[in-house]
Amino acid sequence: MRVPLSWLRSFVPVLPATVDLVELLTRAGLEVDAVHTVGALDPKVVVGRVVSRTATPQAAHFVVDGGPGHPALSVVSKAPNADLFDVGAAVALALPGATLVDAHAEGFATFTVASAKVYGIASDGVLCSARELGVGADHTGLHPFVTDAPAGTPIATVLPLPADAEADEVLEVAILPNFARCLSMVGMAREVAALTRADGRVDVALDPLDVVPGPIDAKVEARDACRRFCTARVEGVHVVPSPRWMQRHLALAGVTPLDLLVDVTNYCMIELGQPMHAYDPARLGADTVGVRRARAGETLRLLHQTAEEPGTALPEGTLLITANDRPVAVAGVLGGAETGVDPDTTAVLLESACFDWPAVRRSSAALKVHTDASTRFARGVDPTLAPVGIRRAVALWKQAFPDLRVTATGDVLRAPIVAGEVTFTLAEIEGLLGLEVGRNELVDALAIVGIAVRDGGSQGLVAEVPPGREDVTRACDLAEEFARITGFDRIPETMPAEALPFHTPSRRYATREALRDALVRGGLQELITYSLIAPDSERLLGAEADDVPRLRVLNPINVHRTTLRRTLLAGLLDTLRENHRHTPDAQVFEIGVVFLPEHTAPGQKLPAERLRVAFALLGRADRSSLHGGSDRPVDFFDGAAVVEHLVRALRVSDAVVRADDGAPWQPGLSASLGSFGHFGVVHPEVCARFDLEGRRVVAGEFDLDALLDAASATFKTVAPPRFPALPIDVSMFVPRATSAASVLAAVRGVGDARVRAVDVIDEFTGAQVPEGMRSLTVRVTLLAPDRSLTVAEAADVRVAVAARLRADVAAQVRE
Amino acid sequence: MSTPDDLDLAAQQANALQQLDAAETSDAIEDFYRAWLAPSGATTKLKRGIGRLAPADRAAFGKNVNALHTLLEERFQQRREHVKTRELAARILAEARDVTLPARPRPTGGYHPVTLVMREVLDVFQKMGFSVFESPHVELDEFNFGLLNMPENHPARDMQDTFYLDTERLLRTHTSAGQIRAMRAMHPNPVRVVLPGLCYRNENITTRSEIQFHQVEGLLVGRSVRMSDLKGVLLQYARLLFGSDQRVRLRGSYFPFTEPSVEVDILCTLCGGAGCRVCKHTGWLELLGAGMVHPVVLANGGYDPREWRGFAFGMGIERTVLQRYDIHDIRYLFGNDLRLLEQFR
């Protein structure tokens, strides 16, 4: 809502300083997003001092001191009186960006000053006339004035503003849904009056409609969507330009002035908040109109559509205004192109209605048309305003057409309009706010916003809420009004006075965060990617069938964000794709949710959301530098290290790594971790599909919910040994297909308590190794809690281990 | 009385001291020790030679040998100290490097900045007794809107552009969607929870707006909860996070699920209230939206509004991230440009 302060001042003559008004409104829930200024009130219009003046054939070339930052501006002026301004004279200088009144426009218009070349000379400002400054009508030359103020002083502090000044300030106020009443100047004025405790009532001068010869019988069929429908037939009018003051208020409020007939309806809408529409009865072909819902297949050419355009299809059920049953307007949204005012109009049928917001919202959404009218109806319009709008419009027209006659009116009301009542107690208000509230204080504060409070006997108090304040239905609404009017600052700061539940730590949450810490400690960079993806990017993985169930949004923002992800891996690979050119080494991870509709719990409507953790490594595992080191690229075992780190961080005891092929992994270089997920080298073809051709990516993705289920809360330590450990190394040839895991299992299978640890410490394949075999060396660490072990004991264990290896994994143990 | 040549202590002493003076390295020093002072060294041999002397000379000789041993031991210690000091000095000189050369690279990980801020916020609220309650990303229209006092076609739905999956299901537009779930889970006990999580809005992606963002919702329901408690709790939060001189300011606002509704400002964390670019010269920064839980919402959560009251607040995380780290484009956050993220290592 754009609020020209001159318009506001016509209701509340004394306003606080603009900066204070902005603060006052913002704190009361009417946030001022911007303040626009015009003419002499624009801070970019300043006192300039002429530094030099040079006559050119067409104009005067000034150099002007515009104050700090603009010591010597070049400005060209064509004003006939330019030669009266000598060195040192004061001029009204508009700097680039300033908004001035356009002196050349037919009606009221503004323009923004920009640097330009005039007759080939740079001109970085405008020297203003009184008309451009909005301080007078004169545009015959530069506005002369005398001042001691230094250059750069805002002109507003120097020039007196006459009462009818066109210089203005316009507040741009964000109107929240419960402030529908403030989508009008009167509503804003009432709010400002309440907040500033201004005296007097904010009201609009209205003439009585004394001529009502024959009622208009509007056929309101859709009563469920139309609370009130007022009409008036006004004769003796025709199309002329609106008076300049009206054009100015409309333009500053953001509405383009057209002609007096249309402008008055817009003026009333902005002034009162009552949208109206003027039909030409001659073009309507009827003396009355109707209100009904659209039938299937109906169309209407809307106001903004040309004769060549086909009409807009009206969805069935759209609330319409009709004439002779033919659609002539979308109720509360927009009129038709063929029945509005035109240059031949001599009479209008004025519609001023109160449509229910659901109907207008539906029409507006279905047709994707949002107008000043629909914005107001969509939030609710005060039903008492409909006849007021007609009276106000007639009064305004009458100023131009003294012979105007109202020949018929109509008012169809669905039900009598009654004031709302809220029964409440003072204690309720006090309890909600945490503030002691005096009864008189409450009554006074609510009276300011038009809510009367009376005694309700044993029930407490009763608030009488005027129509148009349908947001006030409960004690809490009254508490808000009271706090808004008297200031939220009065509410003290306290702590809850009752026993409340303590913080209950969630182990799941804590464990998840501990894992995040562990992965960061492990050298990985955390990512947060989009939950919405293009399914094609997941299909590139080739891990799931193309027709796997996916959740698509009905209204995606673009083709890249259409579908809820089923994996984190695609997002990580997309990130590597975007980054690898400038960041060739990347070790990243993400903890996030995936959406698996097929796992929806029986009887539930919401899809399964599973927490996952995924990682991806690209480029070098180590980075050399001038201090040496290697540039070893990442390989499978770097991925295995991340997995080991992850398993250890969660203290999952039964997560077994097994060779496991399948998309998107490279066969022979991938594995499963229990049933938690997979990791390995990403298949070269998959890399290529993510524009990572020739790069090796090692990655993994795991079901974090399942891992958290399996995570141990705590664990038991082993005391450090008091006696030295005795390692024995056993080298052997094993068949190539025999896994290291099975070799280790065989050694542990000896079941000797002295075997404290078993590790593979060497792998070798080469000329000396028999065909189909490989050489492995395992280190068996022996330990006893109560003594140093002897070499003889070690030899015994070695014999047992060798026997076991021969038996279990067909090893040829080397002596 | 004659003394064999090899027992001429004066000559031996001269010989030994010459050797010691010639020893320039730790190894040479140790060689000297072995030659003269070790149990198998020359002084021991001299002591053994005592038998070849006349009995009358023996006492004096023994005394002199001991004196020689003591002298050599003393000089040996001095010399060893001297050589060690010289060697250390030489080593230090040799090891000196240009310490302004770049460091050796060391792999380090880093958190996403959203995690950093989210954790900070949750930590403070957990210290203040709030428990973490998480709710689903895909929500029923009913929980996201309807039960929060926003029936179909409610004007407040204009405030949030929603991604719909179908007529019933949507991506939650705010963590407030979890309020009803939290209340129903806690009923009939009082509630003190924070609900963190990712939310979604169907908005154009620009430097200031994204289709996903993180929120933290707070919900406190009890029998005597007041708006002054909301103010006090948020003041406490601001002080724990930003310092003991913080202040809070309430402004009127509107949310369908709270009444009264307010915006809560804190003193600008950059200028401390003096006014600067970040706070647009107002001295205040918008912290969050809040209010007293609407009676309809309390009832939908299972709490009789005649007996229970509550407050709720909801804050965005990304705005703080952008402000704190001077990031001028929100798209960096989920676009995951590693050149930006790696600065958080």
Side-chain angles (χ1 to χ4, degrees):
Chain A
M1 174 81 186
R2 292 170 65 103
V3 182
L5 291 190
S6 62
W7 199 346
L8 189 63
R9 216 173 267 118
S10 70
F11 298 107
V12 187
V14 182
L15 293 179
T18 307
V19 53
D20 298 331
L21 180 61
V22 166
E23 167 85 5
L24 199 64
L25 288 171
T26 298
R27 299 197 63 179
L30 287 157
E31 191 162 359
V32 178
D33 287 337
V35 181
H36 307 286
T37 47
V38 178
L41 285 169
D42 192 321
K44 286 199 172 83
V45 182
V46 298
V47 174
R49 291 279 172 195
V50 176
V51 175
S52 70
R53 191 190 70 237
T54 320
T56 74
Q58 303 92 345
H61 177 208
F62 284 91
V63 174
V64 182
D65 178 2
H70 314 280
L73 281 179
S74 166
V75 185
V76 177
S77 174
K78 290 179 274 182
N81 66 348
D83 58 352
L84 299 177
F85 291 79
D86 290 323
V87 172
V91 284
L93 169 67
L95 298 167
T99 303
L100 297 178
V101 177
D102 185 347
H104 302 288
E106 226 163 85
F108 177 87
T110 62
F111 72 102
T112 303
V113 176
S115 291
K117 283 218 161 181
V118 183
Y119 304 122
I121 301 168
S123 187
D124 295 320
V126 167
L127 303 184
C128 311
S129 69
R131 195 171 175 85
E132 285 169 328
L133 290 169
V135 298
D138 184 31
H139 187 57
T140 57
L142 305 188
H143 184 57
F145 61 100
V146 177
T147 178
D148 297 332
T153 307
I155 206 91
T157 62
V158 173
L159 280 190
L161 284 186
D164 59 350
E166 291 189 343
D168 214 338
E169 290 169 292
V170 183
L171 306 187
E172 201 169 308
V173 185
I175 306 292
L176 292 165
N178 64 332
F179 276 102
R181 63 188 182 281
C182 287
L183 285 167
S184 71
M185 293 306 304
V186 168
M188 284 298 307
R190 287 193 179 128
E191 207 62 33
V192 169
L195 294 171
T196 59
R197 309 291 192 277
D199 289 334
R201 283 177 58 81
V202 172
D203 245 321
V204 181
L206 296 170
D207 290 343
L209 288 186
D210 43 357
V211 190
V212 191
I216 300 172
D217 182 20
K219 273 179 59 189
V220 181
E221 287 173 29
R223 291 231 170 185
D224 60 319
C226 181
R227 195 165 172 189
R228 190 170 198 177
F229 197 80
C230 292
T231 42
R233 187 186 164 93
V234 184
E235 297 183 5
V237 295
H238 55 270
V239 167
V240 291
S242 303
R244 188 172 171 87
W245 64 266
M246 187 181 288
Q247 289 194 31
R248 179 162 64 84
H249 277 168
L250 286 175
L252 294 180
V255 176
T256 310
L258 296 171
D259 61 68
L260 183 60
L261 298 187
V262 172
D263 287 353
V264 161
T265 62
N266 284 330
Y267 193 87
C268 292
M269 172 178 70
I270 293 169
E271 184 181 60
L272 301 167
Q274 173 61 52
M276 287 190 282
H277 189 68
Y279 303 91
D280 183 335
R283 302 180 76 205
L284 212 50
D287 289 332
T288 185
V289 288
V291 183
R292 65 165 171 83
R293 293 190 181 275
R295 303 178 195 114
E298 287 189 296
T299 61
L300 174 63
R301 218 150 54 70
L302 296 171
L303 205 51
H304 54 80
Q305 290 171 323
T306 62
E308 291 73 41
E309 285 179 77
T312 296
L314 301 169
E316 196 173 345
T318 304
L319 194 66
L320 298 179
I321 308 299
T322 57
N324 299 324
D325 202 43
R326 192 167 47 88
V328 293
V330 179
V333 181
L334 196 61
E338 287 151 22
T339 49
V341 169
D342 77 357
D344 303 326
T345 297
T346 56
V348 296
L349 179 68
L350 191 58
E351 166 211 313
S352 179
C354 179
F355 302 111
D356 289 336
W357 51 261
V360 176
R361 293 178 65 79
R362 224 168 285 144
S363 305
S364 203
L367 296 170
K368 295 190 171 62
V369 175
H370 300 274
T371 59
D372 288 326
S374 72
T375 300
R376 285 169 174 80
F377 280 124
R379 296 177 176 205
V381 168
D382 175 357
T384 61
L385 283 178
V388 178
I390 286 181
R391 290 169 65 190
R392 178 63 174 154
V394 168
L396 287 168
W397 277 325
K398 214 162 193 170
Q399 293 175 13
F401 312 116
D403 301 332
L404 159 157
R405 285 170 306 125
V406 178
T407 55
T409 61
D411 185 353
V412 182
L413 201 55
R414 182 167 65 202
I417 296 162
V418 289
E421 289 200 342
V422 180
T423 305
F424 70 105
T425 63
L426 207 56
E428 275 181 280
I429 306 288
E430 291 184 323
L432 262 170
L433 298 178
L435 181 69
E436 268 183 50
V437 178
R439 185 190 153 142
N440 290 341
E441 185 189 20
L442 179 78
V443 170
D444 291 348
L446 293 180
I448 291 173
V449 289
I451 298 171
V453 176
R454 61 176 157 82
D455 208 318
S458 61
Q459 297 292 309
L461 301 169
V462 177
E464 292 166 19
V465 182
R469 287 306 309 269
E470 281 158 9
D471 55 311
V472 178
T473 57
R474 291 181 168 81
C476 56
D477 302 322
L478 296 169
E480 176 171 280
E481 283 304 296
F482 175 77
R484 242 168 33 77
I485 297 301
T486 58
F488 283 100
D489 282 343
R490 287 188 49 200
I491 297 176
E493 288 129 5
T494 58
M495 290 305 265
E498 64 187 288
L500 291 164
F502 290 115
H503 165 60
T504 4
S506 150
R507 194 168 77 77
R508 253 186 125 68
Y509 173 79
T511 310
R512 183 180 81 199
E513 294 312 308
L515 174 66
R516 203 188 305 273
D517 291 336
L519 291 170
V520 168
R521 274 201 310 275
L524 277 71
Q525 170 65 47
E526 185 189 15
L527 303 183
I528 300 176
T529 66
Y530 289 96
S531 304
L532 285 169
I533 52 133
D536 281 349
S537 92
E538 284 190 343
R539 289 197 187 104
L540 297 183
L541 297 174
E544 296 187 300
D546 276 0
D547 59 353
V548 73
R550 291 180 191 280
L551 288 168
R552 289 180 61 89
V553 296
L554 295 176
N555 51 340
I557 191 98
N558 62 41
V559 294
H560 306 294
R561 308 267 168 252
T562 60
T563 305
L564 285 167
R565 64 185 174 192
R566 296 179 56 87
T567 71
L568 300 184
L569 193 52
L572 296 190
L573 292 179
D574 272 335
T575 302
L576 296 185
R577 178 215 306 257
E578 298 301 323
N579 281 280
H580 76 103
R581 280 185 191 85
H582 54 70
T583 309
D585 305 311
Q587 312 214 344
V588 298
F589 79 97
E590 179 169 14
I591 291 175
V593 163
V594 299
F595 303 84
L596 306 173
E598 71 276 23
H599 293 311
T600 303
Q604 293 292 309
K605 288 172 180 158
L606 297 182
E609 294 179 10
R610 295 293 287 184
L611 200 57
R612 292 261 181 96
V613 55
F615 70 92
L617 315 176
L618 170 75
R620 292 170 294 173
D622 303 316
R623 295 182 202 186
S624 70
S625 69
L626 76 164
H627 308 297
S630 83
D631 283 323
R632 183 178 65 76
V634 292
D635 64 21
F636 174 84
F637 295 101
D638 293 302
V642 173
V643 173
E644 205 167 273
H645 191 71
L646 183 149
V647 166
R648 202 166 35 226
L650 294 173
R651 305 209 175 273
V652 176
S653 52
D654 51 352
V656 182
V657 172
R658 284 201 180 80
D660 193 344
D661 293 337
W665 311 111
Q666 177 171 335
L669 283 176
S670 63
S672 60
L673 176 73
S675 57
F676 300 114
H678 296 82
F679 65 100
V681 174
V682 178
H683 198 290
E685 284 175 5
V686 175
C687 282
R689 287 181 217 140
F690 281 91
D691 299 337
L692 293 161
E693 186 136 34
R695 310 293 314 272
R696 187 195 288 145
V697 177
V698 182
E701 176 158 354
F702 307 98
D703 183 339
L704 184 51
D705 276 322
L707 282 166
L708 292 175
D709 289 339
S712 310
T714 185
F715 66 103
K716 292 190 164 55
T717 59
V718 177
R722 293 171 54 213
F723 295 92
L726 191 58
I728 48 174
D729 291 352
V730 182
S731 294
M732 72 201 90
F733 296 128
V734 289
R736 239 166 229 247
T738 302
S739 70
S742 59
V743 170
L744 296 180
V747 176
R748 287 198 200 92
V750 169
D752 190 317
R754 291 168 296 182
V755 174
R756 192 55 64 85
V758 194
D759 301 291
V760 177
I761 59 165
D762 191 43
E763 184 202 23
F764 180 69
T765 49
Q768 296 91 338
V769 180
E771 184 67 25
M773 308 285 272
R774 64 176 166 151
S775 163
L776 286 181
T777 302
V778 296
R779 175 163 294 168
V780 183
T781 305
L782 305 180
L783 205 62
D786 51 354
R787 66 203 150 87
S788 291
L789 291 169
T790 65
V791 176
E793 278 180 285
D796 289 348
V797 174
R798 189 188 166 83
V799 168
V801 165
R804 192 82 201 198
L805 285 169
R806 276 190 286 272
D808 286 7
V809 294
Q812 302 171 16
V813 178
R814 291 146 62 199
E815 296 308 326
Chain B
M1 168 78 218
S2 72
T3 306
D5 279 357
D6 62 335
L7 298 183
D8 178 347
L9 293 183
Q12 294 286 4
Q13 176 176 333
N15 185 16
L17 290 178
Q18 192 192 346
Q19 275 185 38
L20 187 60
D21 286 343
E24 298 282 347
T25 66
S26 289
D27 288 347
I29 287 283
E30 293 310 315
D31 288 347
F32 173 85
Y33 180 83
R34 274 191 294 278
W36 291 95
L37 295 168
S40 59
T43 50
T44 309
K45 282 180 192 142
L46 284 174
K47 279 179 197 163
R48 285 195 197 119
I50 204 163
R52 290 190 275 136
L53 291 179
D57 294 339
R58 287 180 188 170
F61 183 81
K63 211 172 145 192
N64 288 341
V65 170
N66 281 342
L68 174 64
H69 187 95
T70 307
L71 173 77
L72 292 183
E73 178 73 38
E74 196 178 295
R75 299 289 288 275
F76 162 76
Q77 294 291 358
Q78 286 167 359
R79 183 73 189 165
R80 186 164 70 172
E81 217 35 55
H82 172 73
V83 167
K84 244 167 86 179
T85 307
R86 253 195 7 216
E87 280 183 344
L88 182 61
R91 202 185 95 207
I92 285 171
L93 197 66
E95 287 182 358
R97 294 290 308 274
D98 173 2
V99 295
T100 64
L101 283 171
R104 182 170 276 119
R106 191 184 173 84
T108 48
Y111 295 94
H112 194 282
V114 166
T115 299
L116 294 175
V117 173
M118 177 65 99
R119 280 188 167 185
E120 203 172 85
V121 170
L122 292 182
D123 277 355
V124 171
F125 281 117
Q126 289 182 73
K127 281 178 190 141
M128 292 170 69
F130 287 78
S131 300
V132 174
F133 185 93
E134 293 183 289
S135 72
H137 296 228
V138 176
E139 257 300 357
L140 296 173
D141 186 281
E142 196 188 358
F143 281 80
N144 196 75
F145 291 126
L147 294 170
L148 293 178
N149 198 28
M150 271 185 281
E152 199 188 341
N153 277 317
H154 191 280
R157 289 195 178 200
D158 288 353
M159 294 162 82
Q160 303 177 3
D161 290 311
T162 310
F163 284 119
Y164 285 95
L165 296 179
D166 47 44
T167 53
E168 268 182 306
R169 299 180 302 172
L170 46 78
L171 301 187
R172 66 176 170 199
T173 58
H174 48 192
T175 42
S176 313
Q179 278 192 20
I180 300 287
R181 294 188 186 278
M183 282 193 268
R184 290 186 180 175
M186 311 282 169
H187 185 266
N189 299 308
V191 182
R192 178 156 59 176
V193 293
V194 276
L195 302 97
L198 200 51
C199 303
Y200 306 85
R201 300 239 175 122
N202 187 345
E203 289 180 358
N204 289 324
I205 301 179
T206 69
T207 56
R208 306 297 299 169
S209 73
E210 257 290 5
I211 57 167
Q212 68 179 34
F213 55 95
H214 294 76
Q215 272 193 346
V216 173
E217 184 91 358
L219 176 66
L220 192 144
V221 177
R223 291 179 184 271
S224 66
V225 180
R226 306 156 289 187
M227 194 156 218
S228 55
D229 298 339
L230 167 70
K231 210 172 168 184
V233 163
L234 292 176
L235 177 67
Q236 186 68 23
Y237 164 82
R239 290 193 168 165
L240 285 171
L241 210 51
F242 303 114
S244 55
D245 51 354
Q246 258 297 347
R247 282 161 50 200
V248 298
R249 175 179 91 160
L250 305 188
R251 281 187 284 126
S253 190
Y254 172 73
F255 304 102
F257 35 96
T258 51
E259 186 80 20
S261 299
V262 288
E263 293 288 340
V264 182
D265 296 337
I266 57 170
L267 284 182
C268 176
T269 50
L270 195 73
C271 64
C276 67
R277 183 183 54 82
V278 169
C279 60
K280 293 180 190 151
H281 304 285
T282 62
W284 296 93
L285 279 186
E286 199 173 299
L287 178 69
L288 46 75
M292 300 303 290
V293 181
H294 197 282
V296 167
V297 177
L298 277 174
N300 288 338
Y303 293 85
D304 182 344
R306 286 168 303 185
E307 290 174 27
W308 295 85
R309 284 196 302 258
F311 68 69
F313 56 82
M315 71 173 90
I317 297 296
E318 278 74 7
R319 189 171 43 186
T320 307
V321 172
L322 300 188
Q323 262 166 17
R324 176 172 311 171
Y325 301 109
D326 205 21
I327 301 172
H328 297 284
D329 190 338
I330 196 173
R331 292 172 295 189
Y332 281 122
L333 296 184
F334 308 123
N336 290 300
D337 189 320
L338 292 174
R339 292 170 297 185
L340 183 92
L341 290 183
E342 285 176 352
Q343 297 175 42
F344 290 89
R345 294 194 157 190

